[in-house]
Amino acid sequence: MKNESFDVVVVGGGPGGSTAATLVARRGHRVLLLEKETFPRYQIGESLLPATVHGICRLLGVEEEMERAAFTRKRGGSFRWGTNPVPWNFLFALSPEISGPTSYAYQVERMKFDEILLRNAAAKGVEVRENAAVGEVVEDGGQVTGVRYTDADGEVHEVSARYVIDASGNRTRISAAVGGERVYSEHFRNLALFGYFEGGGRLPAPDAGNILCAAFDEGWIWYIPLSDTLTSVGAVISATRAQEIQGDQAAREKALRGFLDRCEIVRDLLGPDAARVTEGTYGELRVRKDYSYANTRFWRPGMALVGDAACFIDPVFSTGVHLATYAGLLAARAVNSVLGGELDEERAFGEFEGRYRREYKVFYEFLSSFYDMQGNEDGYFWKAKKVTAFDTTAMEAFVTLVGGVASGETALTAPAEMVDRFGASARSLSEAVEATGDMTTASGERMNHLFGVPVVGDVMHEMNEIQRRGVLGSATREAPLLPGGLVPTADGLGWTEPA
Ligand code: FAD
């Protein structure tokens, strides 16, 4: 058995792992990333949020590469949701925090996106090893001190490290080592059946790049335009229907066809000309279930969980990659602060877990309300009206939340010219939209009510800061997000006590 030593071992080369590894390496620490597969490899989770694209990707230094990859631009989302038959849209530009140059995200083929992040990690100094499957962690004196992994030749290696970051996704083999347990959501008990189509239609411009989420009697369907011709299409239905779609591809095909036929807007978009891709990586009809859970602990001495290894909520509103990359950043800050001798472990990782849980909880509550209200618009209004007074900021808060960014703090702390530019841009768009009536239709008003629930008012400052750091690349002064908590260092890569 070979033995090596690194400062940090990251397990898994998805977006969470690549983010954590790169941001620790950027502080000059020695990082080993172990990935079971050889990239590019398939993964679901194709619709990104602006916070990832403009915040995390800029911190990682891949924004130009992302631009060159020519992914579909996503300006917002389109919904046919609840009992209202009229589809409604939201634009990221309606949030004052995501205005100007950052009012879009991307729809990505994960094989391409994840590979960009992984190769970038290597370029930024991370030692990346593919075909390296981690089987267990090594412990000593109540502390995680490393991992054992098996390489492509079957040889077992042991690596010691001050920290192990588990970013190995929903099928992690080592997350239990943090000492907690995975608790499955009582609320989200769904499964997804999904595949790919060539030749599907597009929403009218300028919404052609939007994700479309269309509810139907049995659940809802995502329709994600990955290129001019390729579309990711998936049905999310109750897990109690698992029996129907288990089995061979023919059974899945039959089930998916049935769902699509019963969802009018998607059926119309696919039309007679669209053909399901039946060969290659996109040719398989896949099923995912048991994906809504959270671990009761996110860290222990020597180890932290990031991304799906820690938690995931639900595909609606595309929060998975956001939570994974945000957690990657938070974990990197904690690791960097401890390795740099600036903070003790308890304090640094307490901040990591506190912020990560907060982000998870805000989305969990919001998505729960969103599902609860599906199919019963009266109940939905009643609930929303009961908990909030309608005002125009509710819609902005919604877009800010689902963009993965927070309230107006960015504009408040950014240099004057950026404030002016961003602020003016957001205002003019907002005004323009209102003037044209896009968001003030009956369905637009419904959005305002819905997204005025208190949890939306509790949007995070943090993602806003991340995005601003990415855009401006500058030091900032932030208030602690948590009571008695820490603030990010000037470079955004560590924690420090507030002034
Ligand atoms: P992953 O992307 O899963 O990466 C983990 C990596 O670890 C993999 O490369 C794997 O090969 C590797 N690995 C696993 N085991 C080992 C091991 N033992 N040793 C070494 N390496 C290992 N998110 C969105 O943002 N937008 C969406 O539209 C969206 N849609 C979704 C639809 C469905 C049906 C589901 C279930 C999820 C969706 N998600 C979406 C969520 C998204 O897929 C995940 O949240 C995201 O991929 C998590 O990233 P990660 O880095 O934590 O893990």
Side-chain angles (χ1 to χ4, degrees), residues 281-302:
T281 310
Y282 289 141
E284 193 184 328
L285 287 175
R286 294 175 166 90
V287 174
R288 285 280 301 270
K289 56 191 171 85
D290 299 330
Y291 49 67
S292 305
Y293 54 78
N295 223 65
T296 52
R297 295 187 62 161
F298 285 175
W299 78 280
R300 74 174 266 202

Side-chain angles (χ1 to χ4, degrees), residues 342-372:
E342 291 126 27
L343 291 171
D344 69 40
E345 190 174 51
E346 188 80 32
R347 184 99 173 105
F349 281 88
E351 186 72 25
F352 154 75
E353 177 146 356
R355 290 195 186 221
Y356 191 5
R357 276 205 192 279
R358 185 177 190 274
E359 187 79 357
Y360 170 84
K361 188 166 168 277
V362 166
F363 275 114
Y364 188 95
E365 288 182 25
F366 171 70
L367 299 186
S368 300
S369 327
F370 196 72
Y371 265 94
D372 274 349

Side-chain angles (χ1 to χ4, degrees), residues 11-17 34-37 39 41 43-48 110 114 132-134 167-170 173 192 194 222 224 288 291 306-309 312 315 318-322 324:
V11 183
L34 299 170
E35 165 55 52
K36 187 177 69 169
E37 308 280 340
F39 275 37
R41 61 91 180 89
Q43 178 57 291
I44 191 63
E46 294 143 334
S47 196
L48 303 186
R110 287 286 301 273
D114 290 17
V134 172
S168 59
N170 67 311
R173 293 178 59 181
F194 47 98
W222 78 69
I224 301 175
R288 285 280 301 270
Y291 49 67
V306 154
D308 281 9
F312 176 63
S318 313
T319 56
V321 172
H322 162 65

Side-chain angles (χ1 to χ4, degrees), residues 179-372:
E181 57 173 326
R182 181 177 282 192
V183 176
Y184 287 89
S185 168
E186 289 291 325
H187 189 89
F188 297 100
R189 289 178 177 271
N190 300 321
L191 64 77
L193 167 63
F194 47 98
Y196 296 82
F197 287 80
E198 276 289 343
R202 294 290 175 254
L203 295 170
D207 301 318
N210 283 9
I211 182 172
L212 168 69
C213 297
F216 68 118
D217 284 349
E218 295 142 278
W220 64 276
I221 290 176
W222 78 69
Y223 192 91
I224 301 175
L226 292 175
S227 74
D228 287 348
T229 59
L230 182 67
T231 310
S232 169
V233 182
V236 178
I237 56 166
S238 167
T240 55
R241 315 242 339 235
Q243 208 63 25
E244 277 171 55
I245 59 166
Q246 297 297 14
D248 60 12
Q249 289 286 305
R252 292 179 180 186
E253 175 91 51
K254 186 165 172 260
L256 184 62
R257 279 282 159 208
F259 297 140
L260 300 179
D261 282 347
R262 294 190 286 277
C263 183
E264 196 183 341
I265 187 169
V266 172
R267 187 185 63 213
D268 290 351
L269 274 168
L270 286 173
D273 297 334
R276 191 173 75 72
V277 179
T278 53
E279 287 179 355
T281 310
Y282 289 141
E284 193 184 328
L285 287 175
R286 294 175 166 90
V287 174
R288 285 280 301 270
K289 56 191 171 85
D290 299 330
Y291 49 67
S292 305
Y293 54 78
N295 223 65
T296 52
R297 295 187 62 161
F298 285 175
W299 78 280
R300 74 174 266 202
M303 181 172 180
L305 307 183
V306 154
D308 281 9
C311 59
F312 176 63
I313 307 170
D314 188 84
V316 78
F317 284 113
S318 313
T319 56
V321 172
H322 162 65
L323 282 170
T325 53
Y326 177 51
L329 167 64
L330 296 178
R333 283 178 180 167
V335 166
N336 288 336
S337 302
V338 178
L339 293 182
E342 291 126 27
L343 291 171
D344 69 40
E345 190 174 51
E346 188 80 32
R347 184 99 173 105
F349 281 88
E351 186 72 25
F352 154 75
E353 177 146 356
R355 290 195 186 221
Y356 191 5
R357 276 205 192 279
R358 185 177 190 274
E359 187 79 357
Y360 170 84
K361 188 166 168 277
V362 166
F363 275 114
Y364 188 95
E365 288 182 25
F366 171 70
L367 299 186
S368 300
S369 327
F370 196 72
Y371 265 94
D372 274 349

Side-chain angles (χ1 to χ4, degrees), residues 417-464:
E417 68 276 12
M418 294 300 274
V419 175
D420 287 351
R421 190 150 68 81
F422 283 18
S425 161
R427 271 193 306 280
S428 61
L429 238 168
S430 236
E431 282 156 13
V433 166
E434 283 195 14
T436 57
D438 191 5
M439 298 295 295
T440 52
T441 59
S443 53
E445 288 190 7
R446 285 186 179 104
M447 281 181 67
N448 287 349
H449 283 290
L450 170 63
F451 303 114
V453 296
V455 70
V456 178
D458 188 31
V459 288
M460 308 68 63
H461 306 291
E462 177 64 1
M463 298 318 299
N464 184 20

